[in-house]
Amino acid sequence: IYGAQASDGDNWTDDSPKCRKLLAEDILPKVRYFAYIQVAPEEQNLWVEYAHLAQGAPELAMKKVESAADIYPVFRELFEKQQAAA
C-alpha cells in the first residue's frame, strides 16, 4: 500500500498530535510508503508533528509546495520508481 496526503497543515493545536499518532500507529505500519505534501511555504503545526515522526520512519516522505498546482509534480517526484542497487 502506498499512501499520500496533501494539506495546508493548519490544524487546531490539539488535533495535530492526534493526526501524528494516527499516522504512526494505524497507517504507517500498514503501508510501504507514505508521502505528505504541505501546501504552504511556512511550517504549520501538522508539518512539525509529522517531521518528528519522519526522523524514525523511513517510509514517510515530506515536501512543501507553495500552491496547489505544485502538488502533482511533487507527488510524481516522491513516487518516482527507484533503481535497485546492483
Side-chain angles (χ1 to χ4, degrees):
I1 297 173
Y2 296 84
Q5 177 185 7
S7 170
D8 68 1
D10 188 20
N11 280 344
W12 292 101
T13 304
D14 59 343
D15 283 346
S16 291
K18 292 175 187 175
C19 292
R20 178 188 40 79
K21 184 177 183 206
L22 180 68
L23 182 60
E25 296 177 4
D26 297 332
I27 297 173
L28 289 182
K30 297 176 180 142
V31 301
R32 183 170 180 154
Y33 186 78
F34 189 88
Y36 173 69
I37 295 178
Q38 178 184 279
V39 187
E42 297 178 17
E43 291 183 1
Q44 300 294 327
N45 51 16
L46 188 58
W47 176 274
V48 173
E49 290 291 333
Y50 282 8
H52 290 298
L53 180 59
Q55 292 174 5
E59 68 277 16
L60 175 58
M62 299 173 59
K63 292 274 187 171
K64 291 182 208 168
V65 298
E66 293 191 24
S67 74
D70 299 324
I71 293 172
Y72 291 109
V74 172
F75 273 145
R76 281 188 209 99
E77 174 188 330
L78 289 172
F79 284 97
E80 184 176 70
K81 186 172 183 174
Q82 302 293 315
Q83 294 287 335

